[in-house]
Amino acid sequence: MSFDRDGEPALHGKRKLEYFIGSGHRGKTFTFSDEGFSFELPINFYSTPGSGSGGVWDMQPKSQGATEMPLTAPAAPSCLHCHTSDAQVPEAGTENKYGAPLFAHGGITCERCHGGDVAHGVKARKAAKGGARDSKAVGQAQAGIVNPAKLTPSRRDAVCMQCHLEGNASIQQPGRHLYEFRPGDDLSEFVRYYVYSGDGKDNVRAVSQFEALLQSKCKQATGDTMTCTTCHDPHFSPSAAERVAYFRGKCLACHGEAFAAKHHVEQQNCAACHMQRLLTKDVGHTQASDHRILRVPAQGGEPADDGSNGATAGTKLMRFPPVKEEDSLRGLALAWTSLAGTGWRYAIEQSEKFLPEALAQIPDDPDLLAAVGYSEQLRGLTAQAREHYEHALRVYPLSLDAASNLGLIEADAGNIERAAALWKPAFERAPGRSSLGINLARALCLRGHGEESKKAIERVLEFNPDLGTARGMLKQLESGEVKCEVQ
C-alpha cells in the first residue's frame, strides 16, 4: 500500500501488506509489520452485496473520521485467535510484537473446535497410508482430540463462545489469555465476559450471537438441548440456493410440519422475519443476523455512539453466561474500568466504586493496581497513584500502562530522569504508542540530550508518519526552537 499527499503537510510512504485476515464473505483486514510489530491497515475491504464490484474499500470502524493517516492500530492477539489458526503469541511486555510467520494457517482449522495440534493430523495420515500401523502410533494420533458433542453443555458451548461472544466487556483472568483456551477447557478460567442487564441488553453487536441466542424463546424453552450446532453445521455451509430450505428445515425440526402448514405458508424463509439482518456499528459495512429469534418480527435497537452502548445510569453489569455468585470483584471492576475509558460518566463512577474493593481482595494484581493508580491520578490523588503504580511494576515490571502513567507523575514532580527511565524501555516495547515516544523525546530534550530527543521523535514518525505533534516537534528540534514541556 502506498499513500501520497501533496501540499502542506506532504505525506509519502508505503507499507508492505503481509497478510489478510477474513474469508472475504464479509470482508478482509490487512496487516503489515515494522521491526516485528504487526499493525492493522486502516483501510478494510468490505464485501457488500449489490455494490457491483462485489465490495467497497473504506476506513476501518475505529479510523472513521480520522484527520491524520492512522497507522498504529495493533494487530491484537484476540483478533488473530478468532480469525486465524496457530497464531504467534506476542512477545512479553509488548502489545503486538510477534515472531514470523504471524500465523500458520489462514482461517479456522479443525483444532479450533476439536483440540489437538497439527502433528496429530500428520500421524493420522501416515497411519492411513500404512506408514505407521501399530496401535500406539494410531493412539498418539488421536490423543487430545475432543468431540464437543460429548462435553458438558457449558464446555460444549464454550467452543463456540470463544469467538462468537463479545459482551460489553471481556476481561482476561490473571496470567491467562484467550489464545491458551483449548476445547474441553472451562472458558471462564481464561476470560470472563460482562453484559448489561436491563436497558442495554437489546443492542446488537456483530459477534455476540451467543448472547442473543440466550434471549430467544427457542433457547429458553429447550435449555441445554439447543446450542449453535442445532442450526449450524460447522463442517458444512449451504449454498445461496439451498439456504432458505436448509434453515427452514432446522426450524421445522422443532416446530413441526403441522405448524408450518398454517404459519405464513407464503413465506418459506423463516429467518427473513424472525432473524432479520441488522446493521451493526462496531463492525463497519456489515450486518448481523438477529439471533434473538424474535417471535414478533421487529427491528432491534442499535448501539449508541457515546460509549454507553445504549445503557443508562443504573444499568448493571453481569457475568455472561450467568453465574450464581461472583468469586471475586476483579472482573467486574476491570469491566467497568474498560467502559470508563470511553468517558462515560456513570461507568467512571462504577469503576471508582468497585476498584478499591477488588484490590482489597487481590492486593498484588498488577492490572488492578494500574487501574486503581490511573483512577487516582485522574482525581489528583498523586501520592496514592504513585504508590499503586510502583507496586504494579514490582509485581510485573513490563506493565506498559503503569510505566507510562507513572512517568507522567514523575515528570510533573520534576523527576525528569526517572520519567525518562520509565518511558524509554516502554517505548521500545510499544513504538506504536506515539504519546510515549513524544513524552520521552520531551524528557530527553529537557535534560539537554538533543540528539537522543531527535532520535526518539524520528522513531515516533517511523511508525506514525502523519502525526502532526511529532512532525512539529521534529521541525523545532532541527531549528533549535523546541519547547520541551511534557504533556
Side-chain angles (χ1 to χ4, degrees):
M1 176 198 75
S2 62
F3 46 91
D4 292 281
R5 181 180 66 216
D6 295 325
E8 184 59 37
L11 179 67
H12 304 284
K14 61 178 60 178
R15 296 291 185 270
K16 179 182 178 182
L17 305 185
E18 298 177 321
Y19 304 95
F20 69 84
I21 299 171
S23 66
H25 177 67
R26 290 195 177 185
K28 294 180 181 179
T29 294
F30 297 82
T31 71
F32 64 92
S33 66
D34 193 343
E35 298 182 13
F37 294 91
S38 293
F39 300 93
E40 292 183 12
L41 193 70
I43 301 171
N44 285 350
F45 177 78
Y46 300 95
S47 304
T48 307
S51 64
S53 61
V56 296
W57 291 90
D58 198 1
M59 302 297 285
Q60 63 172 225
K62 292 181 180 180
S63 298
Q64 295 286 339
T67 57
E68 298 175 332
M69 169 67 85
L71 289 172
T72 55
S78 58
C79 298
L80 296 176
H81 171 74
C82 286
H83 292 282
T84 71
S85 295
D86 288 344
Q88 295 276 1
V89 174
E91 189 175 302
T94 75
E95 296 176 311
N96 59 328
K97 187 173 185 179
Y98 302 93
L102 187 56
F103 48 85
H105 308 283
I108 306 305
T109 59
C110 307
E111 290 77 21
R112 177 56 46 80
C113 300
H114 296 285
D117 54 35
V118 176
H120 89 265
V122 174
K123 293 176 183 177
R125 284 195 295 273
K126 285 182 178 179
K129 293 178 180 179
R133 294 184 180 276
D134 62 280
S135 59
K136 182 179 179 180
V138 174
Q140 289 174 340
Q142 298 298 323
I145 304 306
V146 172
N147 181 349
K150 295 183 179 180
L151 297 172
T152 62
S154 63
R155 298 196 182 214
R156 172 201 66 194
D157 294 343
V159 175
C160 298
M161 282 193 293
Q162 62 175 310
C163 291
H164 291 276
L165 174 63
E166 181 184 31
N168 294 102
S170 59
I171 305 301
Q172 294 191 121
Q173 286 292 87
R176 308 303 294 270
H177 305 278
L178 178 58
Y179 52 73
E180 296 173 317
F181 170 82
R182 296 294 180 269
D185 289 342
D186 179 353
L187 184 60
S188 68
E189 292 181 357
F190 300 86
V191 61
R192 294 185 177 179
Y193 300 90
Y194 293 83
V195 301
Y196 296 136
S197 62
D199 295 339
K201 71 177 183 181
D202 290 334
N203 293 319
V204 180
R205 292 185 301 279
V207 294
S208 287
Q209 295 96 335
F210 203 94
E211 178 190 346
L213 180 64
L214 258 66
Q215 298 175 32
S216 73
K217 296 293 184 182
C218 297
K219 176 65 173 174
Q220 292 171 5
T222 56
D224 289 336
T225 302
M226 186 177 185
T227 187
C228 301
T229 54
T230 302
C231 299
H232 296 280
D233 184 343
H235 306 120
F236 167 76
S237 294
S239 67
E242 298 171 319
R243 284 181 63 84
V244 170
Y246 178 83
F247 286 109
R248 179 178 177 82
K250 298 294 184 180
C251 295
L252 297 186
C254 291
H255 292 281
E257 293 290 347
F259 173 81
K262 299 177 181 179
H263 182 76
H264 292 289
V265 294
E266 78 286 354
Q267 173 58 280
Q268 295 292 297
N269 187 351
C270 306
C273 290
H274 299 287
M275 298 184 69
Q276 294 181 356
R277 305 284 284 176
L278 304 174
L279 290 173
T280 56
K281 291 184 178 179
D282 53 338
V283 178
H285 298 280
T286 191
Q287 293 181 317
S289 295
D290 191 344
H291 280 64
R292 293 173 297 170
I293 318 176
L294 298 176
R295 182 175 183 181
V296 179
Q299 288 288 340
E302 291 186 1
D305 292 323
D306 60 356
S308 69
N309 201 19
T312 59
T315 295
K316 295 182 179 180
L317 276 178
M318 60 177 287
R319 277 272 300 280
F320 189 92
V323 295
K324 291 183 179 179
E325 187 176 348
E326 280 276 8
D327 55 1
S328 78
L329 292 175
R330 178 185 185 275
L332 185 62
L334 292 177
W336 278 118
T337 300
S338 71
L339 295 168
T342 65
W344 181 27
R345 185 63 228 172
Y346 179 70
I348 294 172
E349 293 170 355
Q350 295 302 298
S351 172
E352 292 174 354
K353 172 186 175 181
F354 286 109
L355 279 172
E357 298 176 27
L359 187 61
Q361 289 183 349
I362 317 175
D364 290 325
D365 187 293
D367 294 328
L368 284 173
L369 287 162
V372 169
Y374 185 62
S375 175
E376 293 166 336
Q377 189 174 8
L378 290 178
R379 288 177 286 154
L381 304 175
T382 305
Q384 295 94 318
R386 175 188 274 113
E387 180 180 344
H388 283 120
Y389 286 142
E390 294 281 15
H391 190 169
L393 289 169
R394 287 194 298 272
V395 177
Y396 183 59
L398 299 180
S399 173
L400 290 169
D401 290 337
S404 176
N405 294 328
L406 178 57
L408 290 173
I409 290 176
E410 297 293 3
D412 287 342
N415 303 322
I416 303 301
E417 291 285 2
R418 167 71 167 147
L422 288 162
W423 287 331
K424 185 175 181 180
F427 184 50
E428 288 174 353
R429 299 195 308 275
R433 291 197 181 192
S434 301
S435 59
L436 258 176
I438 290 173
N439 282 335
L440 173 61
R442 286 174 172 151
L444 292 169
C445 177
L446 283 169
R447 302 305 296 169
H449 305 302
E451 282 303 310
E452 290 185 54
S453 176
K454 183 180 176 182
K455 288 179 180 178
I457 211 67
E458 287 174 340
R459 185 164 173 78
V460 171
L461 289 168
E462 175 188 345
F463 288 84
N464 199 355
D466 200 27
L467 185 61
T469 305
R471 288 199 314 269
M473 185 172 179
L474 179 61
K475 187 176 181 179
Q476 291 175 342
L477 280 167
E478 291 174 336
S479 67
E481 300 175 356
V482 67
K483 297 179 180 179
C484 300
E485 295 86 353
V486 173
Q487 297 180 351

